[in-house]
């Protein structure tokens, strides 16, 4: 039998219909990969991949766009969906949708309308569906979560799903809701509402009353804030759960029945508020995530959705500043979660609508409309996880929300890519006998028009990243996000918010073409390079990044296509583009006075002033400066004229956390401000040129600095990969809090530090050394563990600011070396639990009979061990110079430590190489 037939037979044997459906139901990848064929049949992966693609071309297999690519037999789609003409290629999400919802095209899965249904709520929805379908009537369920996470909405979706699968109407499958808090102060009335009462059961009961349990018979009874139900009510409820029976209040000898499914919800810990006997009778517990626990893409989608709802309510488009979207997406909303976010969005839209009525301009949600607490989250923007920042940085221009009713999804013809366009057009022109030069011109126009049309399609469509993930592999979308970041940084410009969609589809077409070994041909690469040199240079950077990320060779011609994509997605600058100018001075009105005079003389209001009374804090002042910078930034940057002190750090802060290119001049006068404004209004549009022009005009009687070298801090440890990086992380936070983030932190190891000092001292003035080993270079040295001591931090900052000596004897020692070590590891490690790591390291120290006279050395060594475990857990290994010679020279000591290290490695199920053991010995002997 031929190999290609063996592969087909293997796939059909391995992937039966039942297994295929089970994998789809579990939302797993049902496909077979080339690696699987290699392991199963012994056919080399590359050959297996070629044969799989051959079967796909013969229409015997269907390709699933995963990485690596996987395949399923066409027969599975035909048998599971009755689809007589399946597509050649599917994404996983398309496959799930096709198989799960075939035959129910008239009805949409109720859970699909929940934001996060294919992300943060995926497992919870699976639990809910299982609870609803469980025979005979479903499983009683308790929904847990903070206030405002959507527990009631989730319960409603469960009811709708129950109606759908049972094919019943609302009348046949009722949904009765009751908030137990409504009658919390009157338990008798609360129980009457639930179970009903007989006439004369209590004062005022003048007739029989039907309870909610009876009304919900055959359907669902949703009890919100179940923790408010008194103990006797819980007992009545679990009797109903057990027996299916209950009685109305005041009834004697009458037992009533109700076939009801109970869904309860609470914000409290059930073990603290509900009877244990009641909890045991609720088999399904579903916990909904809070807003800040959701992934950033989903949070953005929720914010976008709420603004879209308001756009529909107002029947007008809404424009949102990108800072508004970012602030709302990263604010935690701990009090009311999604409910609080919804209220905040409504309030913002109400404010904007009021302004619209007054000025008859568009409805614009400006950053300054946010309350102060939400605005301030952008102060810590630079500290966010890089993945979150990379995602949010895509939103660099105003977001426009249109009141378009059909916007849940979008379609795009994946075959409509630039490569197919060129080949089709080229073939057509050659058949017509067109001259080569005319062919080149026509193809040039075709390529230009294609990219314009692609982006116009997305600009006129309501789209979001979650929808994009359903069509394009997440890895491709995330790569597109990274490339946009690189391009914006390289070009020093903003790119269209929708560029992510066009670029993702283009990359998908590119990868497919490379995989199928088809030619990538750009007919006018050279002319593109000459016409758009800056964009072409950026495209070269993107191609290099693509080659690295996907380990594939990207053809040179692709640079031309990426260049045109960049050209057509640069955000056009407004007509009033110019450099922003802000004056910041200490005092109640110093800055305002100068700004007023300058603005009046040149008949403008362009100069903004920030006064800093002596009572104002640095943070308060920076917040005002940041808000003003956002208001005046028009793409050319912002120049700050400041008088003294920590105000000098504001330019870098604006660059880091607001993405606004800024320069600062530490001199303020009315003539200088007037000169700056005159240049901005009439001549200069380059902030660096303006900065140079103004600094040359400043009075030269000031003494120049005696040392122009930049100050720096040296962070040192044995490997350069553990404690020194931890020290850098802690120092960066400390310096930023004290507005000294311009001071760089140089990381090195104890072996190289002395050799590198000549290089360092040429460029920097080393103020201090921090680490776990003093290199004795005649520079003030501080052990890393002191970085967490508030007393030390304060004096360390004084050293950096003014060269003040630290009296280390005044520092407060930690409770124990292990407590201190744990606190340090918690600041840095990512892959191990510091609390448990300390216990294992303690055992390790006992095994090697570790002793030291100095607690500082002990802490440094424990921290080194913690960093080593963290590295090894991440499969990152260091190298020790001349390791074999070192081991041979110190064989006895090496074997002893190696034995103890093996026990530690076994505990963590990691590999700890000999290089790490050599570093351990080196630290022990220092």
């Amino acid at each position: 039998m031929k190999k290609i037939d063996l592969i087909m037979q293997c796939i059909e044997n391995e992937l039966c219909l039942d297994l295929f459906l089970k994998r789809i139901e579990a939302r797993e990848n049902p496909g077979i990969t080339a690696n699987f064929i290699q392991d199963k049949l012994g056919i080399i992966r590359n050959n297996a991949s070629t044969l799989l693609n051959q079967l796909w071309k013969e229409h015997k297999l269907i390709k699933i766009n995963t990485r690596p690519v996987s395949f399923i037999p066409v027969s599975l789609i035909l048998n599971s969906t009755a689809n007589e003409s399946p597509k050649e290629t599917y994404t996983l999400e398309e496959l799930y949708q096709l198989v799960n919802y075939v035959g129910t095209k008239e009805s949409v899965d109720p859970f699909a309308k929940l934001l996060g249904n294919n992300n943060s709520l995926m497992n919870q929805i699976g639990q809910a569906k299982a609870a609803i379908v469980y025979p005979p009537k479903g499983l009683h369920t308790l929904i847990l979560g903070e206030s405002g996470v959507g527990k009631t909405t989730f319960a409603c979706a469960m009811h709708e799903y129950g109606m759908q699968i049972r094919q019943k109407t609302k009348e046949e499958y009722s949904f009765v809701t009751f908030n137990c808090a409504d009658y919390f102060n009157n338990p008798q009335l609360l129980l009457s509402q639930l179970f009903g009462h007989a006439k004369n059961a209590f004062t005022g009961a003048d007739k029989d009353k039907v309870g909610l349990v009876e009304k919900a018979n055959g359907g669902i009874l949703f009890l919100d804030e179940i923790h408010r139900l008194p103990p006797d009510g819980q007992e009545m409820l679990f009797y109903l759960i057990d027996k299916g029976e209950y009685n109305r209040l005041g009834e004697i000898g009458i037992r009533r029945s109700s076939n009801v499914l109970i869904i309860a919800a609470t914000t409290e810990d059930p073990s603290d508020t509900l009877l244990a006997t009641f909890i045991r009778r609720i088999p399904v517990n579903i916990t909904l995530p809070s807003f800040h626990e959701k992934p950033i893409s989903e949070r953005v989608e929720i914010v976008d959705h709420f603004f879209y709802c308001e756009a529909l309510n107002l029947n007008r488009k809404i424009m949102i500043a990108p800072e508004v979207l970012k602030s709302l997406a990263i604010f935690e909303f701990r009090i009311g979660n999604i409910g609080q976010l919804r209220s905040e969005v409504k309030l913002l839209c109400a404010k904007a609508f009021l302004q619209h009525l007054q000025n008859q301009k568009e409805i614009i949600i400006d950053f300054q409309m946010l309350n102060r607490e939400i605005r301030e989250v952008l102060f810590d923007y630079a500290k966010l996880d890089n993945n979150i920042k990379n995602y949010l940085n895509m939103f660099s221009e105003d977001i426009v929300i249109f009141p378009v009713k059909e916007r849940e999804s979008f379609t795009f013809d994946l075959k409509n890519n630039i490569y197919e366009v060129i080949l089709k057009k080229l073939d057509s022109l050659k058949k017509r006998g067109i001259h080569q030069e005319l062919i080149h011109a026509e193809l040039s126009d075709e390529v230009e028009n294609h990219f314009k049309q692609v982006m116009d399609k997305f600009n006129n469509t309501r789209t979001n990243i979650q929808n994009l993930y359903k069509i394009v592999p997440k890895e491709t979308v995330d790569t597109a996000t990274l490339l946009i970041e690189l391009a914006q940084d390289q070009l020093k410009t903003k790119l269209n918010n929708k560029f992510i969609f066009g670029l993702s589809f283009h990359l998908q077409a590119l990868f497919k073409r490379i995989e199928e070994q088809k030619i990538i041909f750009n007919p006018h690469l050279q002319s593109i390079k000459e016409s758009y040199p800056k964009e072409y240079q950026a495209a070269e950077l993107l191609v290099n990044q693509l080659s690295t990320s996907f380990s594939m060779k990207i053809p040179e011609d692709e640079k031309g296509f990426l260049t045109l994509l960049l050209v057509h997605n640069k955000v056009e600058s407004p007509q009033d583009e110019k450099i922003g100018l802000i004056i910041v001075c200490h005092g109640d009105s110093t800055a305002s006075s100068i700004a007023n005079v300058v603005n009046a003389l040149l008949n403008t209001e362009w100069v903004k002033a920030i006064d800093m009374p002596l009572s104002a804090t640095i943070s308060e002042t920076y917040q005002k400066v940041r808000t003003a910078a956002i208001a005046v930034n028009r793409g050319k940057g912002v120049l700050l004229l400041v008088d003294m002190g920590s105000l000098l750090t504001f330019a870098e802060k604006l660059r880091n956390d607001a993405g606004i290119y800024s320069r600062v001049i530490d001199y303020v006068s009315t003539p200088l401000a007037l000169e700056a404004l005159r240049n901005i209004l009439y001549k200069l549009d380059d902030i660096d040129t303006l900065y140079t022009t103004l600094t040359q005009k400043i009075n030269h009687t000031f003494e120049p600095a005696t040392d122009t070298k930049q100050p720096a801090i040296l962070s040192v440890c044995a490997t350069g990969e553990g404690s020194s990086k931890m020290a850098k992380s802690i120092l960066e936070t400390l310096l930023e809090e004290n507005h000294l983030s311009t001071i760089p932190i140089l990381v090195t190891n104890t072996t190289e530090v002395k050799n590198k000092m000549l290089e360092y001292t040429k460029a920097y003035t080393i103020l201090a050394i921090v680490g776990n080993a003093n290199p004795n270079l005649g520079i003030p040295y501080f052990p890393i563990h002191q970085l967490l001591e508030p007393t030390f931090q304060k004096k360390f900052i004084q050293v950096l600011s003014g060269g003040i000596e630290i009296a280390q004897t005044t520092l407060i020692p930690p409770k124990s070396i292990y407590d201190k070590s744990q606190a340090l590891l918690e600041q840095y490690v990512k892959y191990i639990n510091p609390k448990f790591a300390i216990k294992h390291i303690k055992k390790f120290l006992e095994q090697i009979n570790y002793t030291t006279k100095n607690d500082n050395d002990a802490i440094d060594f424990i921290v080194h061990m913690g960093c080593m475990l963290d590295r090894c857990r991440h499969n990152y290994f260091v190298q020790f110079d001349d390791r074999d010679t070192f081991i041979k020279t110190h064989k006895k000591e090496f074997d002893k430590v190696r034995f103890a290290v093996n026990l530690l490695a076994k505990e963590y199920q990691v590999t700890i190489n000999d290089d790490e053991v050599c570093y351990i010995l080196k630290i022990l002997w220092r």
Side-chain angles (χ1 to χ4, degrees):
M1 186 180 291
K2 294 180 180 179
K3 286 183 179 180
I4 192 168
D5 297 326
L6 280 173
I7 290 176
M8 191 66 205
Q9 185 182 72
C10 173
I11 293 174
E12 289 176 337
N13 291 339
E14 290 291 333
L15 199 55
C16 63
L17 180 61
D18 185 54
L19 178 59
F20 170 70
L21 293 175
K22 283 182 179 178
R23 288 180 177 175
I24 290 292
E25 186 178 358
R27 296 185 75 82
E28 296 175 353
N29 180 8
I32 300 294
T33 64
N35 284 329
F36 178 87
I37 297 298
Q38 177 178 264
D39 295 340
K40 192 73 176 178
L41 300 179
I43 299 173
I44 296 174
R45 191 190 68 81
N46 289 345
N47 293 341
S49 178
T50 300
L51 294 172
L52 285 168
N53 276 292
Q54 181 61 38
L55 288 167
W56 172 66
K57 291 175 182 177
E58 294 174 3
H59 306 293
K60 294 179 180 179
L61 296 180
I62 286 174
K63 185 181 293 186
I64 307 175
N65 264 340
T66 53
R67 293 211 172 268
V69 172
S70 54
F71 299 85
I72 59 173
V74 173
S75 58
L76 290 179
I77 296 296
L78 296 175
N79 294 334
S80 61
T81 67
N83 189 337
E84 295 181 2
S85 56
K87 294 200 304 181
E88 295 178 351
T89 305
Y90 288 90
T91 66
L92 271 178
E93 190 62 34
E94 285 176 327
L95 204 58
Y96 297 150
Q97 296 285 342
L98 178 67
V99 177
N100 284 335
Y101 302 123
V102 68
T104 58
K105 293 178 182 176
E106 296 297 321
S107 58
V108 178
D109 184 352
F111 289 104
K113 67 184 179 183
L114 300 182
L115 296 175
N117 65 85
N118 62 346
N119 202 330
S120 68
L121 295 180
M122 187 182 296
N123 292 334
Q124 290 85 339
I125 289 172
Q127 286 181 279
K129 287 183 175 181
I132 290 294
V133 302
Y134 197 85
K137 65 178 181 182
L139 296 174
H140 303 295
T141 301
L142 181 62
I143 304 176
L144 308 171
E146 298 174 8
S147 176
V149 296
K151 296 186 291 295
T152 301
T153 303
F154 194 87
C156 289
M158 290 180 69
H159 170 250
E160 290 181 35
Y161 183 72
M163 281 196 302
Q164 189 179 98
I165 62 169
R166 289 174 174 80
Q167 297 184 344
K168 291 186 177 182
T169 64
K170 289 184 178 180
E171 291 72 25
E172 296 169 324
Y173 191 70
S174 56
F175 184 68
V176 178
T177 66
F178 178 69
N179 192 317
C180 299
D182 290 345
Y183 299 93
F184 175 62
N185 294 323
N186 192 334
Q188 189 178 49
L189 189 56
L190 187 152
L191 296 178
S192 169
Q193 290 289 325
L194 276 178
F195 299 101
H197 62 252
K199 185 178 180 179
N200 300 322
F202 50 85
T203 302
D206 53 359
K207 60 180 179 180
D208 291 345
K209 179 182 178 180
V210 175
L212 299 179
V213 168
E214 191 169 341
K215 290 181 180 179
N217 186 24
I220 293 175
L221 174 61
F222 175 59
L223 301 176
D224 200 6
E225 299 196 61
I226 187 71
H227 57 277
R228 298 286 194 172
L229 192 64
D232 50 345
Q234 294 180 41
E235 290 175 356
M236 293 174 69
L237 207 55
F238 72 65
Y239 185 84
L240 171 67
I241 292 172
D242 282 349
K243 306 292 185 181
E245 296 179 346
Y246 71 99
N247 61 280
R248 295 176 180 175
L249 292 184
E251 283 185 335
I252 300 174
I254 300 176
R255 305 303 298 176
R256 299 178 181 273
S257 63
S258 179
N259 183 27
V260 65
L261 177 65
I262 294 172
I263 299 178
T266 178
T267 57
E268 305 296 320
D269 184 342
S271 60
D272 294 338
T273 55
L274 299 176
L275 297 175
T277 49
F278 179 69
I279 295 173
R280 286 199 297 270
R281 285 164 172 81
I282 307 291
V284 179
N285 281 214
I286 298 175
T287 302
L288 301 184
S290 61
F291 181 71
H292 69 274
E293 290 173 330
K294 292 177 178 287
I296 187 62
S297 60
E298 191 174 312
R299 282 181 265 162
V300 168
E301 185 180 8
I302 292 171
V303 174
D304 171 87
H305 175 75
F306 287 155
F307 276 114
Y308 166 67
C309 292
E310 296 310 310
L312 286 179
N313 291 338
L314 296 169
N315 196 28
R316 288 175 172 82
K317 74 176 182 181
I318 298 175
M319 298 182 66
I320 309 165
E323 291 76 21
V324 172
L325 180 73
K326 294 174 185 178
S327 299
L328 292 173
I330 62 179
F331 189 72
E332 293 191 346
F333 292 104
R334 287 188 175 273
I335 298 175
N337 283 286
I338 298 173
Q340 184 187 357
L341 168 63
R342 180 68 187 270
S343 298
E344 188 67 33
V345 169
K346 279 185 172 291
L347 178 60
L348 288 169
C349 291
K351 290 179 181 178
F353 185 63
L354 180 60
Q355 286 189 2
H356 160 74
L357 294 177
Q358 293 171 343
N359 58 27
Q360 294 301 306
K361 295 182 179 179
E362 293 180 319
I363 299 177
I364 301 173
I365 312 294
D366 189 64
F367 180 66
Q368 297 181 44
M369 288 182 177
L370 293 170
N371 69 51
R372 177 178 176 180
E373 188 180 11
I374 297 177
R375 286 202 310 267
E376 285 182 345
V377 298
L378 283 191
F379 281 104
D380 296 323
Y381 188 79
K383 299 178 184 178
L384 292 175
D385 179 87
N386 283 335
N387 291 330
I388 294 178
K389 284 193 293 187
N390 288 339
Y391 184 87
L392 291 178
N393 285 342
M394 288 191 301
F395 304 97
S396 56
E397 56 181 300
D398 287 347
I399 295 94
V400 184
I401 308 288
F402 293 94
V404 181
K405 292 188 178 180
E406 297 297 331
R407 69 161 229 161
E408 277 65 32
S409 61
F410 64 96
T411 57
F412 190 82
D413 185 0
L414 296 183
K415 293 183 180 179
N416 182 25
N417 61 63
I418 186 61
Y419 314 112
E420 300 296 335
V421 169
I422 289 175
L423 292 176
K424 186 176 180 180
K425 186 74 173 181
L426 183 61
D427 184 58
S428 172
L429 293 174
K430 283 183 177 179
K431 286 180 179 178
R432 288 162 52 192
I434 304 297
H435 190 272
Q436 187 65 37
E437 289 184 5
L438 293 176
I439 288 179
H440 182 279
E442 284 216 28
L443 285 178
S444 297
D445 293 340
E446 191 75 26
V447 171
E448 292 275 354
N449 291 332
H450 170 80
F451 283 122
K452 289 178 182 177
Q453 291 170 6
V454 166
M455 290 317 302
D456 285 344
K457 180 180 180 66
F458 292 114
N459 289 332
N460 295 323
T461 307
R462 287 297 306 157
T463 52
N464 60 54
I465 298 297
Q466 290 305 316
N467 281 332
L468 186 58
Y469 281 152
K470 296 175 184 178
I471 300 174
V472 180
K474 186 176 185 298
E475 184 183 10
T476 302
V477 177
D478 293 344
T479 299
T481 304
L482 173 62
L483 296 186
I484 291 171
E485 273 293 293
L486 291 173
Q488 289 186 146
D489 184 61
Q490 176 78 9
L491 295 171
K492 297 293 186 288
T493 189
K494 295 178 181 179
L495 294 169
N496 189 322
N497 287 334
K498 295 293 182 64
F499 184 32
I500 180 67
F501 299 96
L503 182 58
S504 295
F505 279 114
H506 180 74
L507 292 181
Q508 185 179 21
L510 168 66
F511 296 150
K512 182 179 178 181
R513 198 161 188 84
I514 292 175
E515 182 182 311
E516 295 171 0
Q517 299 181 353
K518 292 183 179 178
I519 296 173
I520 292 176
F521 167 62
N522 193 326
H524 59 306
L525 180 66
Q526 188 59 35
S527 63
I528 292 174
K529 184 175 182 179
E530 293 171 358
S531 301
Y532 310 109
K534 290 183 179 179
E535 290 79 6
Y536 187 85
Q537 188 176 3
E540 287 185 312
L541 179 66
L542 303 193
V543 166
N544 291 337
Q545 181 63 46
L546 277 174
S547 299
T548 302
S549 298
F550 290 92
S551 300
M552 61 171 62
K553 182 175 176 57
I554 309 294
E556 285 287 314
D557 291 57
E558 177 58 29
K559 295 175 184 178
F561 297 129
L562 289 177
T563 297
L564 290 178
L565 273 172
L566 293 174
V567 169
H568 290 296
N569 286 280
K570 291 168 70 175
V571 176
E572 293 298 325
S573 301
Q575 293 300 313
D576 61 341
E577 179 181 290
K578 50 183 173 282
I579 301 166
L581 181 60
I582 303 174
I583 300 173
V584 193
C585 294
H586 289 76
D588 294 328
S589 60
T590 308
S592 296
S593 298
I594 296 174
N596 290 339
V597 170
V598 172
N599 280 330
L601 288 172
L602 294 180
N603 192 27
T604 182
E605 294 182 352
W606 190 244
V607 182
K608 304 300 178 185
I610 304 295
D611 295 308
M612 185 180 178
L614 296 180
S615 59
T617 65
I618 291 294
S619 295
E620 289 171 345
T621 304
Y622 176 70
Q623 180 185 2
K624 294 178 182 178
V625 172
R626 190 182 187 285
T627 302
I630 291 171
V632 301
N633 181 36
R634 293 294 183 273
K636 289 293 184 179
V638 175
L639 179 69
L640 305 178
L641 302 182
V642 305
D643 57 356
M644 61 180 179
S646 53
L647 302 179
L648 295 172
T649 65
F650 284 5
E652 184 181 8
K653 286 179 70 66
L654 285 174
R655 289 195 293 269
N656 290 339
D657 75 357
I660 298 174
Y661 185 74
S662 309
R663 298 297 300 264
V664 61
I665 294 178
D666 57 340
Y667 183 79
V668 180
S669 69
T670 302
L672 182 68
L674 190 61
E675 182 67 19
L677 183 57
R678 184 181 290 110
N679 276 278
I680 289 171
L681 294 179
Y682 304 119
K683 292 194 298 183
L684 295 174
D685 64 354
D686 179 77
I687 190 171
D688 292 323
T689 304
L690 176 63
Y691 174 83
T692 303
T693 300
L694 295 177
T695 51
Q696 289 173 350
K697 290 181 178 293
I698 295 175
N699 193 327
H700 292 286
T701 59
F702 295 108
E703 287 294 327
T706 57
D707 187 0
T708 58
K709 289 188 292 185
Q710 186 177 9
I713 300 170
L714 204 57
S715 181
V716 183
C717 76
T719 64
E721 295 293 340
S723 301
S724 58
K725 286 193 173 181
M726 176 193 297
K728 181 181 180 182
S729 177
I730 299 172
L731 281 169
E732 284 175 342
T733 302
L734 179 61
L735 295 177
E736 182 164 351
E737 289 173 350
N738 290 274
H739 310 290
L740 292 169
S741 55
T742 54
I743 300 177
I745 301 161
L746 312 175
V747 175
T748 187
N749 61 56
T750 51
T751 303
E752 297 181 349
V753 62
K754 291 184 179 179
N755 295 331
K756 286 187 173 182
M757 278 307 293
L758 181 61
E759 174 187 342
Y760 288 150
T761 53
K762 283 183 179 179
Y764 303 99
T765 299
I766 307 298
L767 302 178
I769 299 175
V770 176
N772 63 5
N774 189 349
N776 299 312
L777 297 171
I779 297 171
Y781 168 78
F782 307 103
I784 183 176
H785 66 268
Q786 292 183 342
L787 290 176
L788 295 184
E789 292 291 347
T791 306
F792 169 81
Q793 290 179 352
K794 185 175 180 180
K795 293 188 176 182
F796 184 74
I797 292 300
Q798 289 177 334
V799 167
L800 300 182
S801 301
I804 302 172
E805 289 288 331
I806 284 188
Q808 296 186 34
T809 56
T810 63
L811 298 177
I812 301 173
K815 293 180 180 179
S816 75
I817 60 173
Y818 295 105
D819 290 339
K820 189 66 178 179
S821 300
Q822 180 178 327
L824 282 164
L825 290 173
E826 286 171 349
Q827 297 285 320
Y828 180 75
V829 297
K830 297 179 180 178
Y831 304 99
I832 63 170
N833 184 322
K835 182 178 180 181
F836 295 110
I838 290 295
K839 293 180 181 179
H840 295 309
I841 294 170
K842 190 175 182 181
K843 288 182 183 178
F844 170 80
L845 297 182
E846 293 170 355
Q847 288 164 350
I848 64 172
N849 299 318
Y850 177 78
T851 57
T852 180
K853 297 178 183 178
N854 188 328
D855 281 355
N856 292 345
D857 289 344
I859 292 169
D860 291 336
F861 183 53
I862 294 168
V863 168
H864 172 85
M865 294 298 296
C867 293
M868 178 197 73
L869 289 173
D870 196 63
R871 281 197 302 273
C872 295
R873 199 67 179 270
H874 188 45
N875 292 322
Y876 181 83
F877 304 104
V878 297
Q879 291 185 340
F880 187 90
D881 289 340
D882 204 10
R883 179 194 63 191
D884 295 338
T885 302
F886 183 90
I887 294 173
K888 188 175 181 180
T889 307
H890 308 287
K891 187 72 169 62
K892 183 178 179 181
E893 296 86 353
F894 178 86
D895 288 342
K896 178 182 177 182
V897 175
R898 177 77 262 183
F899 177 78
V901 164
N902 287 343
L903 298 178
L904 197 59
K906 186 177 180 181
E907 189 73 40
Y908 274 85
Q909 297 182 341
V910 298
T911 300
I912 301 177
N913 62 20
D914 288 348
D915 303 72
E916 293 282 10
V917 178
C918 292
Y919 274 118
I920 292 172
L921 286 170
K922 196 169 182 181
I923 294 172
L924 289 173
W925 295 337
R926 70 168 183 230

